[in-house]
Amino acid sequence: MEMWLGYMQLILHGAWITIQLTVYGCAFALGVALVAGLGRISPFAPVRWISVGYIEFFRGTSIFVQLFWIYYVLPLMGLSLTPMQAGVLALGLNVGAYGAEVVRSAVQAVDEGQKEAAVAVNLTRYQTMRHVILPQAIVIMLPTFGNNAIELLKGTAIVSLISLSDMTFQAQVVRAQTGNTAVPFITILVLYFAIASVISFAVRSLEKRLTRGLDGVRA
């Protein structure tokens, strides 16, 4: 029993690493998605080209290759990253590319009448985006952003390939040391589901809060 308690502590330590990866990765992905998504609809052609190039590249290539490139190739160019930094960067850039399209579509889904009303009261493009369009677009983005966050959570398992001791890595250690496959992998299955449930609940709660007064704008 004491042996298994020790192994469970290993897996729980891995769960903490997974939570950190998820939180940092989501924060980074959100920032990247907003910048690239708004760049996608920028009136300046070079900004649009850069945004489209980023989105298409990271959606069109394997996250495994992206992770290995960031962790193993960047050091050859003088930029060494820790496994945690490499994992956050790879996950954030990959999920951020999908999130950018969510931002673009949500902004374009806001009723044209809202934009025309902003022009009528002499708001600048920046003021219109900040005070009129984005508050409504965020409500539209939230459900898909929640899905992206859960996908990022599940994607954290790939960092075990660069020896970062997340849940999946620790489960593999426990399996190798005990010869038992069922217990460690059932444990992390439950933990992944629990963390995903927390994300879903948080996103639904935030969506309800933000939709107060904006009942006509739903995803």
Side-chain angles (χ1 to χ4, degrees):
M1 180 61 72
E2 290 183 5
M3 179 187 71
W4 277 108
L5 286 176
Y7 287 138
M8 289 303 105
Q9 287 178 350
L10 273 181
I11 291 177
L12 289 176
H13 174 73
W16 175 238
I17 298 296
T18 295
I19 291 170
Q20 290 182 70
L21 274 168
T22 302
V23 172
Y24 298 151
C26 284
F28 183 54
L30 178 61
V32 169
L34 286 172
V35 171
L38 294 177
R40 183 81 168 74
I41 54 176
S42 170
F44 304 104
V47 175
R48 289 199 307 273
W49 298 337
I50 292 171
S51 297
V52 170
Y54 155 71
I55 291 168
E56 295 303 323
F57 178 80
F58 279 93
R59 289 198 309 174
T61 55
S62 167
I63 189 171
F64 291 96
V65 177
Q66 293 165 16
L67 177 65
F68 289 157
W69 199 91
I70 289 169
Y71 188 65
Y72 293 112
V73 178
L74 285 185
L76 302 178
M77 303 176 182
L79 181 60
S80 296
L81 299 175
T82 65
M84 174 66 78
Q85 291 169 337
V88 169
L89 185 59
L91 290 165
L93 288 173
N94 184 271
V95 174
Y98 292 92
E101 285 298 283
V102 176
V103 172
R104 177 195 61 77
S105 60
V107 168
Q108 292 179 332
V110 175
D111 190 87
E112 281 294 324
Q114 300 287 327
K115 302 172 188 177
E116 293 169 0
V119 172
V121 296
N122 205 31
L123 293 183
T124 64
R125 181 182 176 86
Y126 170 76
Q127 291 171 325
T128 300
M129 182 63 69
R130 179 182 175 185
H131 299 294
V132 178
I133 297 174
L134 278 182
Q136 298 178 66
I138 287 172
V139 176
I140 301 172
M141 298 175 202
L142 268 178
T144 308
F145 273 174
N147 290 336
N148 287 348
I150 292 173
E151 287 299 318
L152 188 147
L153 163 67
K154 293 186 289 185
T156 58
I158 68 168
V159 300
S160 63
L161 298 174
I162 57 172
S163 300
L164 184 58
S165 54
D166 72 317
M167 282 196 294
T168 300
F169 182 88
Q170 298 290 25
Q172 291 171 341
V173 169
V174 173
R175 181 186 63 80
Q177 293 183 0
T178 65
N180 188 312
T181 300
V183 173
F185 284 99
I186 288 174
T187 301
I188 67 170
L189 192 69
V190 171
L191 289 172
Y192 275 119
F193 178 73
I195 299 170
S197 297
V198 171
I199 293 173
S200 295
F201 176 78
V203 170
R204 285 196 301 268
S205 298
L206 183 59
E207 185 183 5
K208 288 179 182 178
R209 182 175 179 181
L210 293 179
T211 51
R212 292 171 187 169
L214 292 173
D215 295 334
V217 182
R218 301 307 296 256

